[in-house]
Amino acid sequence: MLSPDEFREKYPADELEAELPDSPIGSLRDLQYLYGKLYTLATTGGGEYAPYLTPDAAGDLLDTDDSLIVVRVDVSNDEPRLADDDFGPVQVTRYSNELIQQVGHCKYPAARGIDHSVTHQAGRNSDPEKLARYAKERLTKWAVDEVVRKAADTHADGWIIERLAEVGENEDALETIEETITRKLGGESATSLLTVRVKTESDGDYQWPGELDVFNEAMRQRKLSKLVTKNKADDSSGEATDLVTGRPARTVGTSEDPQNYFLGKQLEKFPGLDIEEAWRSHPISEDAAITVMNAETFVEACTYRTFGAKVYYLPYVFGRSAAEKVHRLYELLYRSVEEEETTPIENAYKREREKTIEERDFRFYVSAVMPHQMSRYDVFGETLNGRLHYPKQLAIAHNEFVKTVSALNRDHYTDWTAPLPTNQNWGLLETNDEQLHAISTGWYFRQTFAERDDDEADADDPRIEALVSVLSGQAIAVDVLLEEYVTRIIDDETDDEEYEGFPSFLVASQFAQLCVLADERLNLLATADPSKEQITREPTYDTDIMPSLDEIPIADGGDPAASKLESFINETPALSPTHDRDPDSVTSQRRGAFLLGALVGDIGSYQEYSEDRSTTLVDQYPVKSITRSRIKKVTQETVAKTLTYTRQEKKQQGGYPGTKADHIVDRLRETILKPDPEEWEIETDDLRFYYALGVTYGMNDHPWNREENDADETEEEN
């Protein structure tokens, strides 16, 4: 394949534009056709038959010993025969770049059968006997193939193929081929291409298949025959307008596709398919179909696997395909083929940073394909409007959020913990350069969504839907996130070996992700449910370092914990009464669930560290136990336990002022104890997630001494 510099040199602007379609990319087929064109130009060059060749199929044989075995046949006289000159009837040589077009190899990717071209690729390390059989089959099998014979009958030089077949009927000639190959290989196995060279004029040279039009046309017809007979069709072809070029042509209905779209068993693309009439549903001309098939190398280079699916992220020139832009596109595709260690998204971002591409000039086709048995494929999440901006901006926004906002950053608080815990070894709670990789590979959602076996994944997998959404700039449904979050929390709550209790870092990660997706610059969060609309709004957490809470005026002699709680609730739209003052609203109910969780987490931590209890309220009231019908009872029992500890501390301290955690208890009386939660409208996943967020908040709500904690951390690192 030509390097980008070689490609520019061989195809300057005027020559390249002459090879390109006139219209902008408007469909997946247009994009695949462009990829196929570029691949063909970069490997086999231009010309009528170039798209039909498959140079990559035998690419690993280039410049290797004994990689090309050539049967030489003289058909210049009335009696066709094997060559008897100094080079002999069979040559065993090296396959080289200069011979790619001359041997005219066209691979037939089937376990059995012969290649479309007279040139055939043997299996790896074939023994001399097998190689001899393949060599003889160039005369005894390919030359008499039904499609090849039909092509020969209508071609002016068809007699050449007929003469090959005559030599194939000569047993002495076949024995000579076998004996010569065995002798020249010295009994050793080899991996080789098998082909022929033919002398058609008595004073002429022996010519390669690629130099004789009749061989090219026979190869072309044999390959085309497979485009109309797949899936047991007799002849799925007809005259129609080619959907790629817009010109009248013979169109085919069962052609192959780099992404396995529009196949006979692709029911969502072909509802009620009559295989013989497939060309009417999806008319693509013969030559366009072949060019589309050649897109496979570039398509696969821009593809990666995750969650049991194949994700396609295919760049294309947005608008008119000017030569300079196509040159940059070719470089991007070439680099994707050569640099397999990263996803195509990261490759594109790297090129954008190096200014070898400009983002505004490119868009990306995005989709995911889920394979099933029996050659079935489910396609979902397709869009031609993907932009590198979407995953890149999400990665930037996530790092900004974790690094700067008060909800997750203890540097905002001198004497008190931040609302939520952080952990620099926890993917979504740390700022790093790997967020783009996490987003593009789906790891961004694997960390927070319910766990699944990728081997048993299906097309309804919400992880894949979320991934395709963020790659294409489409919003994710809040309902999906809440369901996935809660399922993961409940699953991990009981995994004592990994989390050693309540999964607070998981919940903090989920909440950070939820907030980032709600960022107004991204608009990646949506809902059709008015009761969840507040969740889709971006929080307004402070990004400035706060002074000591001792220095902040606190109304009515309250404590720093009350001020922090008030601030967190007011700055979180899903909880804030400033966004919805109705005491009976879902926002109020959600706030009640959060406050209950905060009290459970607070008292649970007290039980663990002050009472040395192994089982706390956090264990007693796991997330899965919280429902509308139970939340009031859980609240009453938690408040009662809080009052018990208040009385104990009053006795121990000689008069404890007020109620323990009274800044939470007082608000709970208003939100849960007075109303009847059984009549609430909030959905269970919504209720449970914000309860879990509250537990995480409460467990992390305590004073801390910056100097002592920093000293402890330094000792641990040393």
Side-chain angles (χ1 to χ4, degrees), residues 197-214:
R197 291 186 73 178
V198 181
K199 180 179 179 180
T200 60
E201 301 290 339
S202 58
D203 57 350
D205 295 327
Y206 282 85
Q207 295 175 278
W208 294 96
E211 297 173 320
L212 292 167
D213 187 79
V214 66

Side-chain angles (χ1 to χ4, degrees), residues 15-77:
E15 292 187 20
L16 181 59
E17 290 187 0
E19 296 281 353
L20 300 176
D22 296 328
S23 58
I25 301 298
S27 68
L28 173 61
R29 278 291 186 251
D30 291 341
L31 189 156
Q32 292 172 327
Y33 183 81
L34 175 60
Y35 278 20
K37 266 287 187 183
L38 294 177
Y39 174 78
T40 300
L41 292 173
T43 54
T44 57
E48 180 181 3
Y49 298 107
Y52 292 81
L53 304 182
T54 55
D56 280 351
D60 59 341
L61 301 186
L62 288 169
D63 295 320
T64 60
D65 291 337
D66 303 335
S67 52
L68 184 63
I69 298 175
V70 186
V71 176
R72 305 173 73 243
V73 181
D74 183 353
V75 298
S76 62
N77 298 308

Side-chain angles (χ1 to χ4, degrees), residues 400-536:
E400 286 179 353
F401 184 86
V402 173
K403 184 177 181 179
T404 63
V405 302
S406 57
L408 286 164
N409 199 315
R410 72 184 187 186
D411 287 339
H412 289 258
Y413 303 90
T414 303
D415 304 311
W416 212 264
T417 57
L420 299 175
T422 56
N423 186 327
Q424 284 304 304
N425 295 318
W426 204 272
L428 295 186
L429 297 179
E430 60 176 332
T431 58
N432 57 63
D433 295 332
E434 298 299 316
Q435 290 298 358
L436 181 61
H437 181 72
I439 292 166
S440 62
T441 59
W443 177 243
Y444 189 69
F445 296 106
R446 191 187 291 272
Q447 295 174 81
T448 57
F449 278 34
E451 294 183 319
R452 293 170 173 82
D453 184 349
D454 289 352
D455 292 336
E456 298 179 3
D458 57 41
D460 296 325
D461 192 325
R463 301 173 303 173
I464 303 174
E465 294 180 1
L467 172 60
V468 173
S469 293
V470 299
L471 295 184
S472 57
Q474 302 297 315
I476 304 171
V478 166
D479 306 72
V480 171
L481 289 177
L482 294 179
E483 181 180 359
E484 289 299 304
Y485 288 171
V486 170
T487 302
R488 177 65 174 270
I489 292 167
I490 291 174
D491 289 345
D492 288 357
E493 239 179 344
T494 56
D495 190 352
D496 293 336
E497 292 184 3
E498 183 174 356
Y499 292 101
E500 297 181 356
F502 187 80
S504 57
F505 292 136
L506 168 66
V507 177
S509 298
Q510 292 172 331
F511 185 67
Q513 186 178 78
L514 187 69
C515 293
V516 174
L517 293 172
D519 190 314
E520 292 180 354
R521 296 170 297 178
L522 304 175
N523 291 318
L524 292 175
L525 208 57
T527 181
D529 184 349
S531 70
K532 296 189 181 71
E533 192 273 334
Q534 307 294 345
I535 304 177
T536 67

